[in-house]
Amino acid sequence: MPGIYIHVPFCASKCPYCDFYSVADRGRIDNYISAVIDELATLRRVGPLAGDLKHRAIATVYFGGGTPSFVGAENLSRLLLAVKDNFNVPSGAEITAECNPSSSLAPGFFETLAAAGFNRVSLGMQSAVDAERKKLGRKATAVDVETAVKACQSAGITDISLDIMLGVPEQTERSLLSSQDFALSLGVTHLSAYMLSIEEGTFFDKKRDALNLPEEDAVCDMYLSLCEYLKNNGFRHYEISNFCLPGHEARHNTAYWRDEEYLGIGPAAHSYLNGRRFYFPRDLDAFISGMPPVDDGPGGGPEEAVMLALRLDTGISLQEIKEKFAVAPSPGLPAILQKYQSAGLLTFDGDRIALTEKGFLVSNALIGDVISAMDGNR
Amino acid sequence: MRQKKEHIRNFSIIAHIDHGKSTLADRLLELTDSVAKRDMQQQLLDNMELEKERGITIKARAVTLDYKAHDGNTYELNLIDTPGHVDFNYEVSRSLAACDGAILIVDATQGVEAQTLANTYLALEHDLELVPVINKIDLPAADPDRVCADVEEIIGLDCEDAPRISAKTGQNVEAVLEKIVRDIPCPEGDDDAPFKALVFDSVYDNYKGVIVYVRVMDGTLRSGDTMKMMATGATFTVVEVGHMRAMSLENTGVLKAGEVGYITASIKSVSEARVGDTVTKVGNEAAEPLPGYKKVNPMVFCGLYPADGADYEALKEALEKLQLNDAALSFEPETSGALGFGFRCGFLGLLHLEIIQERLEREYDLDLVSTVPSVVYKIHLSDGRVVEIDNPTNYPDPAIIDYVEEPMADAHIYSPPEYIGVIMALCQDRRGTLKDQQYISSDRVDIHYKLPLNEIIYDFFDALKSRTRGYASFDYELCGYERSNLVKLDVLLNGDLIDALSYIIHSEKAYPRARKIAEKLKDNIPRQMFEIPVQIAIGGKVIARETIKAMRKDVLAKCYGGDITRKKKLLEKQKEGKKRMRQFGTVEVPQEAFMAILKLDDQT
């Protein structure tokens, strides 16, 4: 079952580390909402690429950004209504909105979302230490985060995810610990913990040398101690950067890692449907004026499947890959895997390969090696 | 009868780097209408891409210009360009031998510089008439009066009527042409004497075969004649003779004494018409060749291997093609335990090696791995046999070696006297023996050293330049073999011997060198999934070690719907990067690591 992603490209201001597409212009919100609703009704721009999507059940709907909460609960509800009007969204579907604590403090915000059918909220906390949050350009305080979580829970949306960032300026293991404690004390069911990566063109990229970032080794230690801490508190580490209480995985995101299909609408939103990948350009005006998406080549294939699935704690089964894609891993692969296993980077039972936490930290290299070993025998 | 060839001038242009040699050459071409303005690419004479980038001339070129002078006569001006690096010193000397004079360009903002002097001495050695020209007078910082005084004082050339020009704007360039006509002596020769021409360059052309560039000393050669190369004795039927024009060859059917021109004769490889050889004519043969011929032999050897084994045939074909045009390049197949199938290649020096390697990579799109360069050692075994090795891998077990000899170079370093100290320190460090020291003038000293060749092939020239701020020049030739106390250093990565990195070195230097190699490898081999011990050993004894720590972090923290294509591209890039690595047992070594350990004396 495919998922639907709606990119809401508005933010109150640009965070210095972020390279997602967003604008700070309230004036264009109405036109944007109409354009999305129009697209959902007609699939005019996505056109034949969408295939028989209208008849398939939609497993998940995800509003990401930008800052979806910035456009207000009513607008988000209108968009979700349009999704439901035009697609087959069964009652058990996961429906998520990313929210910023400061733009979701309006009275009744979460009640409106809940009434429209939203059942999951992802809140951008980043850190519970206000000094760190400030460096990250986050306006809300830890108290605001707490208020938002409580409001969300009392509105009946209890599947809540918080974001934590690792390796941010001034961070220490001790300050990270206080962020972890704070998050767990709020009773959330899901955590995403991202190691900061400095993206080209961002403010952090330009100021890199002045940032006082923790050393790479320190960041790795933070990551491992966070994994340990969350495990001890009953969380499952199900993807490189994602943790949840049992049964509370982000189903929408998990579908990406299982290489399943999705339709993305909005500027800078990517889609993968009927074997093709395509995306809308990073340009709000072009989106509003009806510019069609750009082709991004074929999706699928063994490389993609391996690259994505190895991000998950469930890993990949060589047998499944073999059956699904008719590729045989090179005879040398088991020896390589056993070497990595003895170095504690992965587990390999003869069929299933899954990376360990130490392995997640060097996953680019490990994934590259596994894929090269598949390549050998195509 | 010996005649003056009143209407011919043969000359070259010499200058310090960036003083405007190529720009002036371009301007001369324009002024003599040799090139239509629209065909004028900047710096027409340096026509290899690599030359443009490095700003040096690798191969000599020549061109004939017709100039109608103020005296009403039309002159045939032959401009012969010269390569600019010590590796190609021999080719420079042959180009200068083809000339009767030279234009010496001096930058009006900088004055006399190191190469100005070095090239001046070289030109004077060939008895060339020097015509000073002051360039770049259009620049605000130009001080032609001071620079003229400089030239008069340091070089001893009268600059009173030296043309002051701007090659860039074209200002007063005509005066240079007039100077050439007036001051450079015309050649002399006898059209009826036995034919004698000096080969100063030869290039391979797909259609015509080798084009031989010559300066005719005596005699006359026509299409259809039978020519003979005096060094090899090979004979060919002349197809074309004529002049080199800027854009094409002009087949005139005849070349006479004093002229500079080209010959084609269906010659298949430049090794059959080597630079420095003498061309004569069967039927009117010269008794003696022109003096100065040397067969240039490769002195530095290294293994070149395709990064991808499947490219072996492509590499072979590329080397064959380059060799058609480069008589000094040699190669033969070899195999390495670490690198697979490749070629042992011979070069004039390290720059020559780098140029060939870059041309293979760029022009033939090959990814290469090269081994540590080596000279040829003579190993005397205990059983009386003598083996010559140019590949450290073949170094015999020390137990059966009686003694080893290494090639020596007789080197002259020319420098202002204030650098004598640093030069001597450098030469001492390179195991040199001072032979002699002579003042050529009050500010030029010739320091004569005997140096082991293996101490100068890697980076001696660079070290010399940096220590003397570019003021010293350097020239060497081989002077036989000497007994020496040498050892072989082996490199082990993760316990595996990497034969391609073995290194022969004087025993006294083994320890510091081993430590440096270990450090360089540590710095240049990227962190991998496991800790990798780096060990340097003599025989079985480890004398230096380092550890490359295991990689800790290489992860994409976020990978959602919009990141998948980007991440796939990253993986592709990663794969491309791996292509530039060689797998040694469990260790991946990038090409850069091989080159880095060659340049150990970088001022780090």
Side-chain angles (χ1 to χ4, degrees):
Chain A
M1 284 197 296
I4 290 181
Y5 174 81
I6 307 225
H7 191 78
V8 186
F10 298 94
C11 280
S13 61
K14 189 99 205 153
C15 298
Y17 56 88
C18 177
D19 75 333
F20 283 104
Y21 179 64
S22 74
V23 298
D25 175 13
R26 248 176 219 291
R28 281 183 280 175
I29 291 179
D30 287 347
N31 288 338
Y32 159 78
I33 301 279
S34 313
V36 175
I37 291 175
D38 179 45
E39 180 64 19
L40 287 167
T42 59
L43 288 184
R44 187 160 51 90
R45 287 173 270 206
V46 173
L49 291 166
D52 60 352
L53 190 62
K54 291 243 168 188
H55 307 291
R56 294 162 74 181
I58 300 301
T60 59
V61 184
Y62 194 101
F63 291 77
T67 311
S69 55
F70 182 74
V71 302
E74 284 73 22
N75 276 327
L76 292 179
S77 301
R78 279 178 66 202
L79 289 175
L80 178 56
L81 194 67
V83 173
K84 287 181 165 178
D85 279 351
N86 290 291
F87 292 88
N88 171 14
V89 184
S91 61
E94 175 194 271
I95 300 170
T96 310
E98 285 180 354
C99 294
N100 184 313
S102 44
S103 60
S104 48
L105 292 174
F109 179 89
F110 290 109
E111 279 77 6
T112 309
L113 289 190
F118 284 91
N119 53 25
R120 189 169 179 277
V121 161
S122 172
L123 274 170
M125 175 176 87
Q126 319 311 356
S127 164
V129 179
D130 285 340
E132 286 173 17
R133 294 174 50 77
K134 215 166 161 189
K135 285 253 171 193
L136 293 170
R138 312 297 287 187
K139 302 245 154 40
T141 62
V143 178
D144 294 336
V145 175
E146 186 172 358
T147 312
V149 170
K150 293 270 155 67
C152 188
Q153 286 163 335
S154 61
I157 303 176
T158 52
D159 257 333
I160 298 174
S161 177
L162 288 180
D163 286 354
I164 290 184
M165 287 179 78
L166 303 181
V168 300
E170 319 279 340
Q171 195 174 36
T172 62
E173 259 195 68
R174 179 180 287 265
S175 75
L176 173 64
L177 197 64
S178 68
S179 290
Q180 296 166 185
D181 280 336
F182 180 78
L184 291 202
S185 73
L186 297 178
V188 298
T189 57
H190 190 280
L191 275 172
S192 299
Y194 301 111
M195 285 167 276
L196 173 69
S197 73
I198 310 259
E199 303 296 338
E200 221 173 291
T202 59
F203 181 73
F204 270 17
D205 182 30
K206 286 167 210 146
K207 297 264 297 180
R208 193 185 288 261
D209 296 332
L211 287 179
N212 192 18
L213 293 169
E215 296 284 320
E216 183 174 293
D217 271 341
V219 177
C220 292
D221 291 340
M222 285 183 202
Y223 176 80
L224 294 176
S225 74
L226 173 115
C227 294
E228 181 71 20
Y229 175 88
L230 290 177
K231 221 164 27 189
N232 291 340
N233 282 281
F235 278 73
R236 183 180 144 214
H237 187 179
Y238 72 100
E239 194 262 356
I240 292 178
S241 306
N242 286 283
F243 305 81
C244 68
L245 290 176
H248 294 268
E249 295 86 2
R251 278 149 57 198
H252 182 84
N253 292 334
T254 303
Y256 293 138
W257 302 316
R258 295 210 173 118
D259 214 12
E260 287 168 13
E261 298 199 322
Y262 51 95
L263 168 67
I265 293 184
H270 286 245
S271 299
Y272 170 36
L273 276 180
N274 302 305
R276 295 303 293 182
R277 293 194 177 276
F278 54 91
Y279 62 93
F280 286 98
R282 288 169 73 105
D283 183 339
L284 177 58
D285 290 329
F287 178 78
I288 290 172
S289 71
M291 185 188 273
V294 180
D295 186 68
D296 202 14
E303 279 108 5
E304 211 172 276
V306 169
M307 157 188 125
L308 293 166
L310 281 178
R311 300 184 65 86
L312 294 166
D313 63 343
T314 45
I316 54 166
S317 148
L318 290 180
Q319 188 60 30
E320 277 170 30
I321 299 282
K322 209 162 143 183
E323 279 163 16
K324 195 165 166 197
F325 300 104
V327 291
S330 77
L333 183 61
I336 298 174
L337 293 174
Q338 268 141 25
K339 218 176 56 191
Y340 289 153
Q341 170 152 268
S342 50
L345 299 173
L346 52 78
T347 59
F348 176 56
D349 63 5
D351 176 48
R352 188 163 286 280
I353 309 167
L355 306 194
T356 62
E357 278 154 2
K358 237 173 97 185
F360 280 150
L361 279 171
V362 288
S363 48
N364 286 346
L366 289 174
I367 288 168
D369 279 1
V370 172
I371 287 177
S372 301
M374 308 271 222
D375 259 16
N377 275 30
R378 280 185 89 174
Chain B
M1 198 187 66
R2 221 170 156 72
Q3 305 153 309
K4 289 200 166 202
K5 303 285 186 168
E6 304 269 6
H7 299 128
I8 301 177
R9 299 290 183 274
N10 299 322
F11 67 101
S12 67
I13 305 177
I14 57 181
H16 186 74
I17 192 162
D18 284 339
H19 278 197
K21 182 168 104 166
S22 303
T23 316
L24 177 61
D26 287 352
R27 225 36 83 230
L28 297 181
L29 291 175
E30 253 177 36
L31 267 179
T32 53
D33 294 324
S34 300
V35 192
K37 256 251 153 63
R38 70 188 152 81
D39 290 331
M40 194 74 210
Q41 288 166 282
Q42 242 203 333
Q43 307 194 345
L44 208 70
L45 279 181
D46 291 349
N47 51 15
M48 247 191 280
E49 196 185 318
L50 210 60
E51 294 184 335
K52 277 185 192 154
E53 257 173 51
R54 292 190 172 226
I56 52 168
T57 309
I58 299 164
K59 291 288 288 180
R61 304 282 141 162
V63 63
T64 301
L65 317 170
D66 290 330
Y67 174 60
K68 193 165 190 314
H70 295 168
D71 64 10
N73 294 316
T74 298
Y75 291 85
E76 177 186 318
L77 307 183
N78 294 306
L79 165 57
I80 299 171
D81 204 3
T82 54
H85 190 277
V86 63
D87 280 7
F88 306 101
N89 257 355
Y90 178 67
E91 297 191 0
V92 178
S93 79
R94 293 306 86 199
S95 290
L96 294 179
C99 299
D100 304 298
I103 298 174
L104 174 70
I105 306 183
V106 186
D107 185 321
T109 66
Q110 299 190 346
V112 174
E113 297 272 355
Q115 283 167 293
T116 320
L117 277 171
N119 288 322
T120 301
Y121 289 115
L122 215 53
L124 292 178
E125 252 176 56
H126 290 91
D127 292 327
L128 300 190
E129 184 68 34
L130 283 176
V131 175
V133 168
I134 312 300
N135 190 22
K136 303 200 189 180
I137 55 164
D138 57 310
L139 295 181
D143 187 353
D145 290 338
R146 182 188 65 81
V147 168
C148 279
D150 230 24
V151 174
E152 286 178 357
E153 195 189 310
I154 301 173
I155 303 180
L157 272 181
D158 184 4
C159 279
E160 197 175 333
D161 30 84
R164 299 176 176 197
I165 66 161
S166 164
K168 197 168 122 212
T169 65
Q171 186 186 347
N172 206 24
V173 173
E174 179 115 25
V176 178
L177 289 164
E178 285 298 317
K179 268 291 216 186
I180 293 168
V181 169
R182 204 155 7 105
D183 288 1
I184 292 181
C186 66
E188 291 177 21
D190 180 351
D191 292 347
D192 302 319
F195 187 76
K196 238 188 214 186
L198 170 69
V199 178
F200 63 85
D201 195 9
S202 58
V203 295
Y204 183 79
D205 177 272
N206 279 335
Y207 301 102
K208 298 179 194 272
V210 175
I211 301 169
V212 188
Y213 288 26
V214 294
R215 153 74 192 269
V216 183
M217 300 302 180
D218 277 313
T220 304
L221 187 73
R222 293 172 202 279
S223 311
D225 286 347
T226 304
M227 63 180 260
K228 180 175 172 186
M229 302 306 306
M230 294 189 78
T232 60
T235 57
F236 304 91
T237 304
V238 175
V239 179
E240 283 183 22
V241 289
H243 292 145
M244 287 76 73
R245 294 297 174 179
M247 305 299 287
S248 61
L249 297 174
E250 179 193 16
N251 182 0
T252 57
V254 60
L255 271 182
K256 292 187 170 178
E259 288 186 286
V260 168
Y262 76 96
I263 308 172
T264 67
S266 303
I267 303 171
K268 293 202 177 54
S269 154
V270 288
S271 60
E272 293 175 288
R274 286 174 179 267
V275 171
D277 200 352
T278 303
V279 181
T280 188
K281 186 162 76 176
V282 175
N284 194 2
E285 219 168 297
E288 292 275 319
L290 295 162
Y293 174 72
K294 263 199 309 201
K295 182 167 179 268
V296 185
N297 284 318
M299 289 198 276
V300 179
F301 292 81
C302 83
L304 286 183
Y305 291 80
D308 179 351
D311 288 340
Y312 177 81
E313 279 301 319
L315 174 58
K316 186 172 165 211
E317 276 171 31
L319 282 167
E320 278 166 356
K321 279 194 191 144
L322 288 180
Q323 197 179 40
L324 288 177
N325 223 339
D326 187 343
L329 169 69
S330 73
F331 67 94
E332 57 184 43
E334 76 168 4
T335 349
S336 146
L339 298 170
F341 294 99
F343 297 92
R344 194 77 192 160
C345 302
F347 308 92
L348 294 175
L350 200 64
L351 178 81
H352 187 210
L353 183 162
E354 282 178 15
I355 287 167
I356 294 290
Q357 194 172 344
E358 265 187 67
R359 291 188 65 188
L360 287 168
E361 298 206 332
R362 275 198 221 180
E363 291 168 32
Y364 297 91
D365 198 24
L366 293 163
D367 279 336
L368 298 177
V369 180
S370 61
T371 65
V372 181
S374 172
V375 298
V376 181
Y377 297 97
K378 283 187 183 161
I379 317 246
H380 296 256
L381 302 175
S382 336
D383 64 5
R385 280 185 303 139
V386 180
V387 288
E388 288 194 359
I389 63 154
D390 60 32
N391 182 348
T393 309
N394 302 332
Y395 199 79
D397 180 349
I400 62 162
I401 296 177
D402 182 7
Y403 65 95
V404 182
E405 286 183 310
E406 65 179 327
M408 302 300 289
D410 196 43
H412 288 271
I413 298 159
Y414 305 94
S415 167
E418 61 261 42
Y419 298 113
I420 292 178
V422 289
I423 291 169
M424 287 195 168
L426 175 66
C427 291
Q428 230 56 54
D429 181 50
R430 300 303 178 99
R431 299 191 280 130
T433 322
L434 181 66
K435 306 283 282 183
D436 192 12
Q437 180 183 326
Q438 271 182 355
Y439 279 82
I440 305 167
S441 62
S442 63
D443 45 22
R444 200 74 183 157
V445 59
D446 168 7
I447 309 168
H448 181 185
Y449 259 95
K450 189 191 227 176
L451 286 154
L453 184 62
N454 83 353
E455 295 285 346
I456 55 181
I457 55 169
Y458 308 117
D459 58 356
F460 182 81
F461 193 46
D462 293 340
L464 182 67
K465 288 260 158 194
S466 71
R467 278 164 217 218
T468 60
R469 295 195 289 134
Y471 272 96
S473 67
F474 163 64
D475 186 10
Y476 66 87
E477 51 186 38
L478 283 188
C479 63
Y481 276 76
E482 272 183 18
R483 202 163 157 158
S484 180
N485 188 6
L486 299 167
V487 291
K488 181 173 76 146
L489 290 184
D490 285 324
V491 173
L492 294 96
L493 290 179
N494 210 16
D496 297 329
L497 172 68
I498 312 301
D499 61 0
L501 291 176
S502 293
Y503 201 89
I504 292 170
I505 188 168
H506 193 262
S507 63
E508 274 171 22
K509 296 185 138 193
Y511 280 81
R513 180 63 57 124
R515 272 197 297 279
K516 267 194 162 171
I517 292 177
E519 275 167 30
K520 282 267 182 177
L521 284 172
K522 181 185 160 212
D523 294 343
N524 281 280
I525 296 176
R527 285 182 171 205
Q528 303 185 17
M529 303 302 252
F530 307 98
E531 202 172 89
I532 302 159
V534 178
Q535 295 164 301
I536 316 295
I538 298 176
K541 189 177 162 217
V542 173
I543 60 167
R545 74 175 76 226
E546 287 282 346
T547 304
I548 302 163
K549 282 210 214 152
M551 178 202 296
R552 205 73 219 265
K553 182 165 170 277
D554 179 15
V555 56
L556 194 69
K558 286 191 183 192
C559 185
Y560 296 105
D563 306 310
I564 293 170
T565 312
R566 191 167 60 107
K567 166 80 197 192
K568 256 197 330 200
K569 282 185 189 144
L570 275 177
L571 270 178
E572 288 298 316
K573 239 176 147 179
Q574 199 177 321
K575 248 195 240 172
E576 282 301 308
K578 286 214 169 184
K579 273 199 195 155
R580 292 199 60 83
M581 308 259 230
R582 293 303 297 216
Q583 184 87 31
F584 293 119
T586 50
V587 185
E588 276 163 346
V589 181
Q591 162 83 59
E592 291 72 33
F594 284 84
M595 284 322 273
I597 72 166
L598 308 185
K599 300 193 168 170
L600 290 171
D601 288 334
D602 296 352
Q603 314 275 315
T604 44

